[in-house]
Amino acid sequence: MSFEDLHLGSIVVSTVRNAPVLIFAAMAGLFAERSGVIDIGLEGKILASAFVSAAVAFTTQNPWYGILAGIAVSVAIALLQGCIAITQKGNQLVAGIAINITMSGLTFVVAQYFFQQGGRTPDLGEARLSEIVLPGSAAVADVPVIGWIWTQLLGGHTVLVYLAFALVPLVHWVLYHTRFGLRLRACGENPHAADAAGVSVERTRYAAMLIAGILCSFSGAYLAIVQSGFFLRDMSAGAGYLALTAMVFGNWRPFYTFLGCLMFGFFGAVQIQLEGVDLPVVGRIPGALIQMVPYVVTVIVLAGLMAKSVAPKAIGVPFVKSR
Amino acid sequence: MTTNDMPRWATGIVLPILNLLSALLVTALVIHLLGENPVESMQILINSAVVNPEGLAYTLFYASTFVFTGLAVSVAMQAGLFNIGAEGQMYLGGLGITLAMLAFDATLPWFLLIPAGMIGAALFGALWAFVPGYLQAKRGSHIVVTTIMFNFIAASLMNFVIVRFLIPPGEQNTASRVFSAGAELPRLSDWLPWLGDTPLNISLFLAIVALAVYGVMVSRSSWGYKLRATGLNKHAAHYAGVKISTTIIVTMLISGALAGLGAVNSMMGSTHYLSLNFVGGAGFIGIAIALMGRQHPVGIFLSALLFGALTQGGFDLSLEKPNIPPEMVILIQGLIILFCGAMEYLYAPALIKLIKGKQA
């Protein structure tokens, strides 16, 4: 492979395909954290939903049942997290980390018990979501540029990809243009003021966790029944943490968070493309080093060298009603 | 009565035991659902981790590593810093040992090699913790997110370094060359033959020394006072003349050095070479140990023993029970962190009621 073999087009397409895992998780985190609950447990929820949706989709041979089961599990975990963070006023960071570690162990143990394949589920085969072929694809397929855009960039994806991209403006609208969004943000910025205004902080935060659970489950389902077609041990590989940092990168705002997700998706795509390619000047870059790039970029962003991010003020603080 | 003015025996002993029992109860339930007998499983676990002398030696061997990662997380926690990066810091500590050994193990005698390895481990661990510490102190970057990122960066970096520089020519195994015999820590089985052929070594005593030094430094020295003041109330500490940013950076350096020292036991005491992913979650176990041990030296020691026993006993259990894979231990860890860390006051209201009832 040489430098000319770097297909810009395929990098763009795989960026689009990599991003939904992060977008769903990041939008989930956005709801939780804007309401004032730190959601470091995204990783665990992604993993749990990935396993359950793969297992159920395989068993029933129907991807939609898989997605539904994934939602149920992810919501249950999110509500447990909410219970710890909101009702018990426990340490939210610790709760998230505990969920991540527990799910890493539990998914393997259960997958091994049911399928006996080293913590893997069998290949889903026909039980994967089918790709949507846009009308007229055959007609324009041979037209340069337009054919590529229509069949590969815009078409040829599963429903979840379109859902992920549609989610961004939707989340923006909910957060900034609905009464619920206003209350949600108030709970994250100044819960006492929200409380004084008659908003139930507890109920709002539970609602936020519920939404976070649903959105996060799509991330796992996408990973298992769209991208790979099976569940593998620890297959989320830090996607939850990356989504979290995309959110920090995006200043807890939907559109900028989305850009962060695209950036990470892009680096993921480039890493695969650059494997074993001789670049001018620098020569061959080992995959391990390219793998490092998004994390290093994140640290630089966190250091405030590219942008200063400001978290919701009441984040991580349990709300105690003043008497 | 609130959770803050509960008696010390209640928050320090009764609550952790209740939480631990809850975690074990959920584990027993999972074992039952997997179609195995929980009571029998527990017997196998205890037998192979504590009763059998060889198993006990392995338990103490694992615990020696866990004491260091537990201390690393604890010392940072005292200053209000949640260091999730012990995993990466220990990994880099392993690189420090390896570089020291590759450079000196042909020339230096054993009594200089061992300190050289320890210095290498502490130095590299500290360096890896320095950047997150510095960014937290000077730029306000959240230490949780930066240390997580540094774990990922450490994993990729070590992969690169081992594959590119450390694999000896002609070898396939992704590991460095084996160190010379002089770099091996003296094993306790040399003096106590009944321990069998186990890797338990003098690191156990180093761990106990580290616990004692930690106890004295944190609760008896003026530096420890500054440390705890920073953790309790940053603004008050600043007002009292504590340099917050210096305290944060120094604490993270110490935390990283301790995590790095965790590599001494597992590499110089057992494997004698650097291999891919040799840390195997010891850094994350450190978080559980710090939480369960309430950052108290005795508590840290007991929790390290518990996790050592779980690692050893869980391994044997997976050999005997086909439905229980070694990954079960990860699940148990997670549950212990969940119950002892996140839900630590779950039983507090009931306990308060009980104490009040007795007083009335």
Side-chain angles (χ1 to χ4, degrees):
Chain A
M1 245 186 156
S2 72
F3 184 63
E4 285 72 35
D5 291 330
L6 265 186
H7 294 296
L8 206 61
S10 59
I11 290 183
V12 173
V13 171
S14 47
T15 301
V16 169
R17 287 172 183 238
N18 285 346
V21 175
L22 298 176
I23 296 174
F24 284 124
M27 293 301 139
L30 209 58
F31 274 99
E33 303 220 336
R34 268 305 179 95
S35 82
V37 180
I38 292 182
D39 199 351
I40 221 160
L42 288 172
E43 184 84 2
K45 279 179 278 185
I46 296 176
L47 210 51
S49 144
F51 167 65
V52 171
S53 42
V56 172
F58 173 77
T59 314
T60 60
Q61 285 297 309
N62 183 335
W64 298 105
Y65 288 145
I67 292 176
L68 283 178
I71 291 177
V73 164
S74 174
V75 163
I77 299 172
L79 290 182
L80 169 73
Q81 213 182 347
C83 180
I84 294 168
I86 302 160
T87 310
Q88 291 207 4
K89 310 187 197 324
N91 188 325
Q92 302 173 7
L93 283 171
V94 178
I97 289 170
I99 286 172
N100 294 345
I101 296 178
T102 310
M103 287 308 146
S104 166
L106 187 63
T107 48
F108 180 94
V109 170
V110 179
Q112 174 65 17
Y113 175 68
F114 280 117
F115 302 107
Q116 305 286 338
Q117 295 188 1
R120 226 191 91 141
T121 65
D123 273 312
L124 291 174
E126 293 299 302
R128 287 171 75 167
L129 279 186
S130 52
E131 285 160 2
I132 293 172
V133 179
L134 293 182
S137 285
V140 294
D142 294 330
V143 185
V145 188
I146 297 173
W148 172 76
I149 291 177
W150 191 250
T151 56
Q152 297 204 23
L153 188 62
L154 294 179
H157 303 294
T158 53
V159 181
L160 284 181
V161 176
Y162 300 105
L163 181 64
F165 283 83
L167 198 59
V168 180
L170 181 71
V171 170
H172 175 88
W173 179 75
V174 171
L175 274 186
Y176 296 105
H177 298 283
T178 64
R179 189 193 302 203
F180 172 71
L182 179 69
R183 290 179 170 174
L184 187 83
R185 285 181 291 134
C187 290
E189 294 293 333
N190 192 338
H192 290 280
D195 184 56
V199 177
S200 165
V201 176
E202 293 209 345
R203 205 180 304 162
T204 311
R205 286 186 175 175
Y206 268 113
M209 291 311 291
L210 182 75
I211 298 172
I214 296 171
L215 293 184
C216 202
S217 75
F218 291 130
S219 184
Y222 183 81
L223 207 55
I225 57 183
V226 176
Q227 270 199 312
S228 45
F230 52 82
F231 170 83
L232 189 70
R233 176 189 185 184
D234 287 331
M235 75 185 303
S236 50
Y241 294 116
L242 270 189
L244 208 67
T245 40
M247 196 164 56
V248 179
F249 173 87
N251 234 332
W252 285 265
R253 288 179 295 183
F255 280 113
Y256 291 92
T257 301
F258 169 66
L259 289 183
C261 296
L262 281 185
M263 175 185 78
F264 289 136
F266 173 76
F267 278 114
V270 168
Q271 185 206 327
I272 295 163
Q273 285 286 321
L274 278 188
E275 208 91 51
V277 176
D278 276 313
L279 291 181
V281 190
V282 283
R284 191 171 288 195
I285 306 177
L289 288 188
I290 306 162
Q291 213 174 15
M292 226 155 79
V293 171
Y295 306 119
V296 174
V297 170
T298 307
V299 171
I300 294 173
V301 171
L302 286 166
L305 298 181
M306 276 156 77
K308 188 81 193 150
S309 71
V310 184
K313 278 202 190 63
I315 196 166
V317 186
F319 173 65
V320 182
K321 216 173 162 111
S322 49
R323 297 200 168 82
Chain B
M1 200 190 290
T2 63
T3 45
N4 283 331
D5 43 43
M6 280 168 75
R8 252 183 93 179
W9 58 264
T11 51
I13 298 168
V14 179
L15 282 184
I17 288 177
L18 284 175
N19 292 330
L20 184 62
L21 286 179
S22 312
L24 293 181
L25 204 68
V26 176
T27 310
L29 184 72
V30 174
I31 291 178
H32 175 73
L33 290 176
L34 294 178
E36 303 286 0
N37 184 345
V39 178
E40 193 191 331
S41 304
M42 201 59 83
Q43 277 166 349
I44 295 174
L45 201 146
I46 292 172
N47 193 40
S48 67
V50 190
V51 180
N52 165 6
E54 223 172 277
L56 181 67
Y58 269 104
T59 296
L60 291 171
F61 166 72
Y62 292 124
S64 317
T65 301
F66 296 158
V67 163
F68 282 103
T69 52
L71 280 176
V73 181
S74 293
V75 76
M77 230 175 240
Q78 293 277 5
L81 300 165
F82 201 26
N83 177 16
I84 303 185
E87 187 83 3
Q89 290 147 17
M90 181 170 156
Y91 208 177
L92 264 287
L95 181 62
I97 294 176
T98 309
L99 294 183
M101 291 305 116
L102 295 186
F104 300 123
D105 73 349
T107 48
L108 290 187
W110 66 271
F111 56 88
L112 290 178
L113 265 184
I114 292 168
M118 292 174 67
I119 292 169
L123 197 69
F124 273 62
L127 275 178
W128 203 245
F130 170 74
V131 183
Y134 177 85
L135 292 179
Q136 165 86 39
K138 301 286 184 185
R139 317 273 325 181
S141 324
H142 205 299
I143 198 122
V144 171
V145 188
T146 39
T147 48
I148 289 172
M149 290 302 123
F150 267 69
N151 283 340
F152 287 123
I153 298 175
S156 313
L157 181 72
M158 293 293 284
N159 191 349
F160 170 68
V161 170
I162 293 174
V163 171
R164 177 62 75 90
F165 300 110
L166 295 179
I167 299 179
E171 289 282 334
Q172 292 299 315
N173 197 10
T174 44
S176 75
R177 74 165 168 82
V178 179
F179 310 146
S180 75
E184 292 177 16
L185 291 177
R187 292 193 170 183
L188 296 194
S189 54
D190 296 347
W191 304 299
L192 306 168
W194 51 271
L195 286 174
D197 186 23
T198 52
L200 179 63
N201 58 72
I202 55 165
S203 298
L204 178 64
F205 304 119
L206 294 175
I208 293 169
V209 170
L211 281 167
V213 171
Y214 165 88
V216 172
M217 284 301 283
V218 167
S219 43
R220 294 279 179 269
S221 74
S222 69
W223 177 79
Y225 176 75
K226 286 181 191 167
L227 178 78
R228 285 178 292 140
T230 309
L232 287 172
N233 188 332
K234 221 188 283 186
H235 302 289
H238 176 69
Y239 193 67
V242 178
K243 285 200 186 69
I244 302 297
S245 54
T246 315
T247 309
I248 289 177
I249 293 175
V250 171
T251 307
M252 281 307 288
L253 284 174
I254 293 172
S255 176
L258 283 166
L261 282 173
V264 172
N265 180 45
S266 47
M267 278 176 53
M268 297 179 75
S270 172
T271 55
H272 310 301
Y273 59 82
L274 175 70
S275 55
L276 215 55
N277 302 324
F278 80 93
V279 182
F284 294 116
I285 295 178
I287 300 171
I289 289 170
L291 288 169
M292 238 192 90
R294 311 258 157 152
Q295 298 107 59
H296 189 281
V298 177
I300 296 169
F301 183 67
L302 292 177
S303 333
L305 278 182
L306 172 75
F307 277 94
L310 278 176
T311 309
Q312 162 61 14
F315 186 70
D316 271 10
L317 185 62
S318 70
L319 291 180
E320 295 205 19
K321 295 282 176 187
N323 281 343
I324 303 180
E327 280 73 9
M328 191 72 167
V329 176
I330 301 176
L331 169 65
I332 305 177
Q333 276 168 30
L335 288 172
I336 291 180
I337 299 181
L338 192 67
F339 280 100
C340 297
M343 303 206 268
E344 56 180 341
Y345 295 118
L346 182 67
Y347 299 109
L351 197 62
I352 288 171
K353 220 179 245 175
L354 209 71
I355 298 170
K356 264 190 176 171
K358 276 206 176 137
Q359 280 171 347

